[in-house]
Amino acid sequence: MRANVWYGTEQLRVEDVPDPKILNPRDAIVRITSTAICGSDLHIYDGYIPGMLPGDIIGHEFMGEVVEVGSAITNLRPGDRVVNPFPIACGACFFCQQSLHSLCENSNPNAWLAEKLWGHSPAGLFGYSHLLGGYAGGQAQFARIPFADVGPIKIPAHLTDEQVLFLSDIFPTGYMAAEQCGIREGDTVAVFGCGPVGLFAIKSARLLGAERVIAIDRFPARLRKASQWADAETLNYEQVEVLEALDVMTGGRGPDACIDAVGMEGHAHGAIGSYDRIKQSLMLETDRPPALRQALTACRNGGTVSIPGVYGGLLDKIPFGAVVNKALTIRSGQTHVQRYLKPLLELIEKGSIDPAFVVSHRLPLEEAPRAYRMFRDKQDSCIKVVLKPWEQVPTVKAEEATNRILH
Ligand code: NAD
Ligand code: ZN
Ligand code: ZN
């Protein structure tokens, strides 16, 4: 089959690899019809995720058609159309029983590696390093799904791939980020980052009853999406001083909740931006957390800071004094996607939300390396790329190719 394979920082190749096979009775094999690139994949692309090996197939947002099931699988059969959650979860352990699927204690065969870094290991994830299980990812034509009786959800035929694909990750992620804010009537929620995760957090905060949502980013296309899709007020942090603006907008009290949908590769101008970059390049700090610092500082007394943005290791200059002295609640985690599949699919079916709204680009899987660059650098106002594993790259004439690049 064809798959998007990681060879090192910014080095991806779409190449032939062996087809996956059923290894365990609870496995299923899915023929992938749509897959997407996540902000978390950028951390791999940019070389910040430890435990990657050249030759690893990446990608964790995918859906498709079941083509084969193991002997213990009774809930799925070949021909079923499914979306697959990115954490791998057994469904039976201490954590799975509490619906904390991204903490499953049976799905990371390399738990000892993660324990060295974090004390305890979370669940294994698709296509996300050997630290998190070494599972082949879903930017490919097929994938093997372990614990297929727990993860995948069946999708009715009348919904399009793009309406349901993001159940695999970013819709539940934005939703959990907003849910963790404990939103009450009249609340104002500030969302740092208007990438796909931020946009779903913004929309979900609205669905959960936030009166005002303030969206922060520097890319006009993303800020526009936030205001069009969820009627968010927007702040471009290149044009205003964010902390000051948030204070003014909330009568000096601060937002009731702040969501950090930026994560470990945060961007900042000026001294603090250079400080993080230098410390990171000298390996004195693993992550760049300007948005987290601002979220903690901006949040009102007694408020909640919800952190879907992924951080990997050690962060510097975190104003932890603000957490204690302002009595903040901090919530975070890789998303417990399995818990949200059914209720969020219902919201899509009811028409409360159309997730396809975030898609800005559709490309054949063969173009994955270009798609990663475009998504990372926000070229062509890129917001979210869907890759099609079975589409051929159209042959374009030389002058058309030039036009495409100029455009
Ligand atoms: P993305 O890179 O497209 O979006 C990040 C956005 O943050 C960009 O639009 C960028 O301009 C903006 N940004 C950068 N610095 C900022 C700052 N200082 N202030 C405000 N905005 C800033 O990625 P995404 O797909 O939206 O993912 C966002 C984060 O969520 C990533 O860290 C990703 O790993 C994480 N994530 C977490 C989970 C989970 O389960 N917790 C799931 C999916 C993604
Ligand atoms: Zn993701
Ligand atoms: Zn489990």
Side-chain angles (χ1 to χ4, degrees), residues 37-43 60-61 86 128 169-170 173 176 191-199 216-219 222 237 260-268 290-291 294 307-311 332-337 375 378 383-384:
I37 309 175
C38 178
S40 300
D41 292 325
L42 294 181
H43 307 323
H60 57 267
E61 298 182 358
F86 78 87
Y128 218 74
D169 180 349
I170 54 173
T173 295
M176 184 167 112
V191 180
F192 292 75
C194 299
V197 168
L199 289 169
I216 303 150
D217 206 299
R218 72 184 164 123
F219 293 101
R222 293 179 173 217
Y237 69 83
D260 169 359
V262 176
M264 68 198 292
E265 294 184 69
H267 162 269
Q294 288 196 327
I307 312 169
V310 164
Y311 291 93
S332 190
Q334 296 280 4
T335 306
H336 308 299
V337 176
F375 176 53
K378 284 85 177 170
I383 295 180
K384 187 77 180 177

Side-chain angles (χ1 to χ4, degrees), residues 88-97 100-101 103-107 147:
I88 300 170
C90 77
C93 72
F94 174 81
F95 294 103
C96 285
Q97 289 201 338
L100 299 169
H101 297 91
L103 302 174
C104 174
E105 44 192 8
N106 282 325
S107 62
F147 303 125

